[in-house]
């Protein structure tokens, strides 16, 4: 969701009584010419003098106002409306490094068929997901790894095939070996499997939010915005996904920063690195103690009942049920797929009725859909210091009477 304002600079100029049309410019110019004592009497449309003035003066001035001023100069004076080139120049001014795209790295658990065998996993071996919104996400083994005799399983370092936060999937999503590996029974990504967060190249909105925060963080005291700027410098963490809770009433000079990811849980190694950087690397205020924590999860059981339109064949029903499940999981931040689904987030109200509406809007074979949360039909999930997550999700077809 775009958090930057949309400003109509033409309206601002008009409200400030700046002439922004050729007709208005001509009228102003004629008043100025007359006021200067000009004796020109022929101001008709066919007047040679005014024809020349329109071509040589009014049209260029109109371009300067409506193109140069309105489309380029005025928007790029402000972080809120600036284009990419202007944002990058402002970033340089403020010593903010624009975040590049990063490939996810992590540890996949490979389970052997026989613990008494030594198994070699070759570099380049692939593990992947089932298709999510038509996309299969693949990881490759970075270096040849030997799982020694006596081990039932071992962790192997992998990297995403492409950069992007879409690869930061929760536990269990990577579970398919497209090519059988000798001696390996199965492979899966366990909890806290990520060692390096994948990230998209920083968008204009994300960069603008960080620049906005940098203005607030310019003071010498370590207020929220200063710490927000430090934390948001990590690839994969958005500045608007950091929430501060002051704990100074319990332990003076302390605070907690709770971090939620766009996709999947917050990796523990990322939190450890941040805490070390802030507290041991000297990036904290005098007497401050800031602790970075994963946003706590609030777990919900969702039951989804779907009624299809008449004459919907079995194949379309199966595909639709899969899409319903994938869309709901995306709404609860398990994947980056289906950007048109509203995401649940902390300190907010997540509307179940809106979720049902978005399912209707995107899956045309659905006649009716009902979502039950924790065995109760409700309209909203209201969150405070917690990220709504799915503990259990069932999606099934029911038949109308």
């Amino acid at each position: 969701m775009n958090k930057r304002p949309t400003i109509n600079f033409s309206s601002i100029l008009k409200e400030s009584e700046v002439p922004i049309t050729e007709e208005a410019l001509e009228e102003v110019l004629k008043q100025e010419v007359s006021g200067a004592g000009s004796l020109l009497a022929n101001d008709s449309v066919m007047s040679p003098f005014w024809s020349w003035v329109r071509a040589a003066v009014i049209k260029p001035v109109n371009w300067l106002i409506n193109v140069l001023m309105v489309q380029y100069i005025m928007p790029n004076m402000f972080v809120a409306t600036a284009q990419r080139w202007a944002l990058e120049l402002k970033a340089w001014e403020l010593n903010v490094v624009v975040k590049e795209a990063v490939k996810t790295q992590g540890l996949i658990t490979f389970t052997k068929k026989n613990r008494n065998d030594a198994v070699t996993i070759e570099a380049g071996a692939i593990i992947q997901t089932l298709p999510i919104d038509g996309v299969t996400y693949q990881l490759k083994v970075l270096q040849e790894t030997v799982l020694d005799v006596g081990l039932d399983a071992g962790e192997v370092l992998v990297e995403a095939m492409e950069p992007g936060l879409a690869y930061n999937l929760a536990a269990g999503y990577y579970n398919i070996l497209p090519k059988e590996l000798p001696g390996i029974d199965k492979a899966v990504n366990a909890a806290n499997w990520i060692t390096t967060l994948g990230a998209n190249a920083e968008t204009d909105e994300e960069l603008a939010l960080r620049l906005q925060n940098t203005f607030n963080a310019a003071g010498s005291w370590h207020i929220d915005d200063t710490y927000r700027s430090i934390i948001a410098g990590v690839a994969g963490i958005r500045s608007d996904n950091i929430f501060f809770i002051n704990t100074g009433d319990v332990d003076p000079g302390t605070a907690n920063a709770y971090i939620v990811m766009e996709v999947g849980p917050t990796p523990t190694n990322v939190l450890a690195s941040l805490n070390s950087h802030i507290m041991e690397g000297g990036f904290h205020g005098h007497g401050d103690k800031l602790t970075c924590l994963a946003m706590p999860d609030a777990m919900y059981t969702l039951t989804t009942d779907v009624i299809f339109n008449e004459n919907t064949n079995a194949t379309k029903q199966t595909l639709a049920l899969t899409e319903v499940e994938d869309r709901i999981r995306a709404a609860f931040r398990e994947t980056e797929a289906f950007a048109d689904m509203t995401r649940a987030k902390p300190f907010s109200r997540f509307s179940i009725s809106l979720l049902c509406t978005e399912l209707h809007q995107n899956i045309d074979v659905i006649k009716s859909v009902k979502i039950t949360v924790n065995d109760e039909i409700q309209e909203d999930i209201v969150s405070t210091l917690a990220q709504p997550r799915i503990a259990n999700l069932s999606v099934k077809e029911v038949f109308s009477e």
Side-chain angles (χ1 to χ4, degrees):
M1 181 179 67
N2 187 4
K3 294 190 175 184
R4 293 206 288 169
T6 300
I7 306 299
N8 188 328
F9 289 102
S10 293
S11 295
I12 292 174
L13 290 178
K14 185 176 181 180
E15 291 169 4
S16 303
E17 299 183 353
V18 175
I20 62 171
T21 65
E22 291 187 13
E23 293 75 17
L25 283 166
E26 184 172 338
E27 180 63 29
V28 170
L29 188 56
K30 285 180 177 179
Q31 291 175 6
E32 292 296 326
V33 169
S34 177
S38 172
L39 300 178
L40 285 170
N42 184 5
D43 61 355
S44 69
V45 175
M46 303 303 294
S47 166
F49 174 76
W50 284 106
S51 294
W52 177 86
V53 169
R54 290 184 194 101
V57 179
I58 294 175
K59 284 188 180 293
V61 171
N62 185 61
W63 181 89
L64 288 171
I65 292 173
N66 288 289
V67 178
L68 186 61
M69 284 288 293
V70 169
Q71 297 182 28
Y72 290 95
I73 294 178
M74 293 181 73
N76 291 301
M77 290 173 63
F78 309 98
V79 169
T81 53
Q83 298 171 353
R84 184 69 179 201
W85 63 267
L87 289 173
E88 291 185 354
L89 286 174
K90 182 60 69 175
W92 184 88
E93 289 179 11
L94 299 173
N95 199 28
V96 171
V97 178
V98 180
K99 294 190 284 188
E100 303 291 338
V102 178
K103 291 184 178 181
T104 303
Q105 289 190 0
L107 298 170
I108 294 295
T109 302
F110 286 81
T111 301
K112 297 191 299 185
K113 292 180 179 178
N114 188 339
R115 73 190 310 268
N116 295 320
D117 293 336
V119 176
T120 300
I121 300 173
E122 300 291 340
I126 300 296
I127 178 172
Q128 66 185 41
T129 67
L130 289 169
I132 303 170
D133 193 17
V135 179
T136 298
Y137 297 95
Q138 293 186 327
L139 308 172
K140 65 178 179 181
V141 174
L142 282 180
Q143 59 189 26
E144 182 180 290
T145 306
V146 178
L147 306 184
D148 292 330
V149 173
L151 295 176
D152 293 313
E155 293 181 331
V156 177
L157 183 63
V158 297
E159 182 180 73
M161 299 295 284
E162 302 289 341
L165 63 84
Y167 288 85
N168 299 338
L169 294 169
Y173 271 88
Y174 294 101
N175 57 18
I176 296 174
L177 294 170
K179 181 179 179 181
E180 184 178 358
L181 300 180
I184 295 297
D185 181 45
K186 60 183 179 180
V188 69
N189 63 315
N192 290 312
W193 69 282
I194 295 175
T195 57
T196 300
L197 276 172
N200 300 333
E202 194 166 27
T203 66
D204 292 0
E205 181 200 349
E206 291 166 344
L207 179 55
L209 288 173
R210 281 210 297 141
L211 293 175
Q212 178 194 48
N213 182 75
T214 301
F215 280 110
N216 298 333
S220 58
W221 290 276
H222 274 41
I223 56 175
D224 289 359
D225 289 307
T226 305
Y227 284 119
R228 190 186 305 277
S229 180
I230 295 170
I231 297 168
V234 175
I237 299 179
R238 284 178 56 115
S239 59
D240 54 343
N241 283 339
I242 305 167
F243 302 85
F244 292 95
I245 299 297
N246 178 19
T247 55
D249 52 336
V250 177
D251 189 357
T254 67
N256 293 335
Y258 292 93
I259 302 169
V260 64
M261 310 304 298
E262 286 292 285
V263 175
T266 307
T268 54
N269 74 293
V270 172
L271 295 171
S273 176
L274 275 170
N275 285 322
S276 175
H277 175 72
I278 292 172
M279 296 308 300
E280 297 172 19
F283 292 93
H284 64 92
H286 292 185
D288 287 356
K289 180 182 178 183
L290 179 80
T291 304
C292 295
L293 302 167
M295 177 63 67
D297 293 333
M299 308 305 294
Y300 295 91
T301 296
L302 281 70
T303 302
T304 307
D305 296 331
V306 179
I307 298 176
F308 290 108
N309 294 328
E310 290 78 3
N311 303 319
T312 302
N313 64 44
T315 300
K316 288 185 177 180
Q317 290 180 10
T318 300
L319 291 173
L321 290 174
T322 300
E323 184 174 344
V324 167
E325 178 173 350
D326 288 346
R327 282 183 174 275
I328 293 174
R329 290 190 180 280
F332 284 82
R333 295 180 183 259
E334 289 192 13
T335 72
E336 192 194 25
F338 306 106
D340 50 2
M341 300 299 293
T342 300
R343 265 46 178 183
K345 58 184 180 181
F347 295 102
S348 68
R349 180 182 294 270
F350 182 73
S351 170
I352 298 300
S353 61
L354 177 59
L355 176 58
C356 292
T357 298
E358 290 173 344
L359 293 173
H360 271 290
Q361 290 173 339
N362 290 285
I363 307 174
D364 56 11
V365 297
I366 291 179
K367 184 175 183 179
S368 177
V369 59
K370 181 183 73 175
I371 297 178
T372 303
V373 180
N374 292 346
D375 297 324
E376 296 181 3
I377 299 176
Q378 64 183 68
E379 290 298 317
D380 302 304
I381 293 175
V382 180
S383 302
T384 52
L385 185 68
Q387 169 61 37
R389 301 282 188 189
I390 295 174
N392 253 308
L393 172 61
S394 66
V395 179
K396 66 180 186 298
E397 178 189 2
V398 298
F399 299 92
S400 57
E401 297 178 355

